[in-house]
């Protein structure tokens, strides 16, 4: 039996809510905050601690930052009511957003200046795995940061990869997002191409997962297209952001990434068609429109 | 115990040799032919039948055409010494090359005119699975064609997908090749991008296969790059050909396929660098050269 830790989770979106619940389930005292009041109320009703973050910040052992991007990460840590300046010496920030490695290093340095440990800890696995405490975390930071963060990491993750110094977690996440985004667009390209040749989405999903052309994303997102169900488990809007981060990093490194660039254009077209809030499998609608195809679910 | 069938395998390359051996192992009488005498001699030494194809053609039940492309398929069936005009009525041609669906339909029509059945039967799985009789075959044709072909199909394949009328097999194969080619290029793009950010190929292969960014090709070809081993299990030269077929079909269908087009350019650059005979994972060398990176195995 380990001692209960005091943990705050900042950002109760699809991923953060599951992470906060996983920490609760492990027996910790958990505060949940969000810019929207709804998930905060819901989380308290399900066992979260009451009270304002600023009133308890100096008692916390761990702050998990589960927001959308670098700007939000910077704001919640060092903005006008930033939590980093309120936390006690020796506590740890676990930063989960997809950001550039240089940004992670900058945040770590500023946290260290406040006497805090910093874990560069992007996550992978989706909302369902988040809810079950089965995330993969691509984590990087000092031994001490891992040690202080361990109650939250143990509660939230099935796999914690220890990747080295701060920045290495964000680098691996960028690599994963490059692949994941390209594979979703490739799935959409292949499935709609097949439709022009008489290969139905059902037949595609019966055959391709057993062949060399399969991918994790194909098997996960393919059924959404075949069912015409674009309920957003992961939104189209994620990809202009994440592939944009990848291409920003790549440009700084003078690295030519033509497949990533092509995939980004397809997601941008999807967003431009007004599909930003749909499931990312909706990138298939860009291909379908360009080829005058009717997808499953079209009337 | 089924009766031994008389089978010829035309084309004893990496795939065809294994298919011929699998038919032998299943107890059939098998003739193997190739433009090169070496694999023919070797196959006879391992139990293949002696004698010229033209002398036995009219006795054959099944001819498996395992050549590189449409031109070679057309030549071995209907060229100056084409086998289709020599085969007996009611026998079957199993055509395994990656070709356009329209070409498959044309070959089937000409074979039918000669009184032959035709199976549009592209294969997937690689040389190792071919040798073990564990291929996946994306097969299309009449019930009767499947029935006559079954001794060879049973011997060569673990999965035989029955996809409908002739053309449907080639269509599914094109879909699979689109994905497989894009995924190999995406692997190379992601692994070399990671190297610019301090992610080593070893670390990449430790983490990504457990994350959403993985693919069958990534797990199969990634180790080749990490080991710097470009022994050609599947050659770079396959991809300008196969992605070219995909894009030809796509253009005819007015289908825009930007990821496939980007991947093709990377394989063309690899071929242009003189790497056409290396393993297809050598497309990573295009990325590495463009980013002034040293890959594993570089001196």
């Amino acid at each position: 039996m380990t001692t209960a830790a005091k943990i705050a989770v900042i950002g109760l979106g699809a991923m953060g809510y599951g992470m906060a619940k996983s920490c609760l389930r492990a027996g910790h005292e958990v505060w949940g905050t969000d810019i929207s009041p709804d998930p905060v109320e819901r989380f308290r009703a399900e066992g979260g601690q009451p009270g304002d973050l600023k009133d308890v910040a100096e008692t916390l052992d761990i702050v998990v930052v589960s927001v959308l991007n670098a700007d939000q990460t910077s704001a919640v840590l060092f903005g006008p009511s930033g939590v980093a300046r309120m936390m006690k010496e020796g506590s740890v920030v676990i930063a989960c957003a997809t950001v550039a490695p240089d940004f992670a290093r900058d945040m770590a340095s500023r946290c260290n200046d406040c006497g805090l440990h910093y874990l560069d800890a992007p996550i992978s696995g989706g909302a369902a795995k988040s809810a079950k405490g089965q995330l993969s975390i691509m984590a990087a930071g000092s031994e001490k940061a891992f040690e202080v963060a361990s109650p939250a990491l143990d509660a939230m993750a099935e796999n914690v990869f220890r990747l080295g110094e701060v920045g290495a977690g964000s680098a691996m996440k960028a690599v994963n997002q490059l692949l994941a985004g390209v594979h979703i667009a490739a799935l959409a390209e292949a499935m709609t191409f097949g439709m022009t040749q008489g290969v139905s989405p059902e037949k595609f999903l019966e055959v391709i997962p057993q062949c060399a052309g399969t991918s994790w994303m194909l098997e996960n997102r393919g059924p959404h297209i075949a069912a015409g169900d674009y309920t957003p488990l992961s939104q189209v809007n994620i990809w202009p952001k994440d592939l944009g981060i990848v291409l920003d990093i790549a440009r700084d490194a003078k690295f030519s990434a033509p497949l990533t660039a092509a995939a980004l254009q397809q997601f941008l077209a999807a967003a431009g068609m007004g599909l930003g809030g749909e499931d990312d499998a909706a990138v298939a609608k860009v291909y379908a429109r360009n080829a005058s195809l009717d997808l499953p679910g079209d009337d």
Side-chain angles (χ1 to χ4, degrees), chain A residues 195-261:
Chain A
M195 288 173 67
T196 70
Q197 301 303 308
V199 176
S200 70
E202 290 71 29
K203 210 70 179 170
F204 177 102
L205 289 175
E206 184 188 322
V207 175
I208 299 295
Q210 300 185 61
C211 296
T214 197
S215 71
W216 191 96
M217 278 297 178
L218 183 148
E219 295 179 36
N220 188 269
R221 303 297 206 273
H224 302 181
I225 304 173
D229 182 356
Y230 299 96
T231 308
L233 301 181
S234 170
Q235 294 185 8
V236 164
N237 278 336
I238 294 292
W239 295 106
K241 175 180 80 67
D242 281 12
L243 294 182
I245 290 170
V246 169
L247 290 175
D248 284 348
I249 300 169
R251 186 185 52 215
D252 286 347
K254 296 188 174 53
F255 181 86
S256 166
L259 272 70
T260 310

Side-chain angles (χ1 to χ4, degrees), chain A residues 16 51 59 68 75 124 151 176 203 234 236 248 266:
Chain A
T59 73
L68 198 61
S124 174
N176 187 65
K203 210 70 179 170
S234 170
V236 164
D248 284 348
Q266 300 304 93

Side-chain angles (χ1 to χ4, degrees), chain A residues 8-86:
Chain A
V9 177
I10 302 180
L12 296 175
M15 301 300 285
Y17 199 90
M19 294 157 78
K21 284 295 297 285
S22 296
C23 290
L24 263 190
R25 210 165 43 238
H28 302 299
E29 289 180 54
V30 188
W31 285 261
T33 76
D34 198 273
I35 47 168
S36 158
D38 293 353
V40 176
E41 287 311 311
R42 186 172 142 226
F43 181 67
R44 284 179 187 167
E46 295 182 352
Q49 298 287 324
D52 234 41
L53 184 62
K54 69 177 187 310
D55 299 326
V56 297
E58 65 182 338
T59 73
L60 296 170
D61 304 301
I62 301 167
V63 169
V64 180
V65 181
S66 173
V67 295
L68 198 61
N69 55 27
D71 284 351
Q72 292 182 8
T73 299
S74 180
V76 301
L77 289 175
F78 297 104
S81 51
V83 73
R85 294 194 194 85
M86 298 187 260

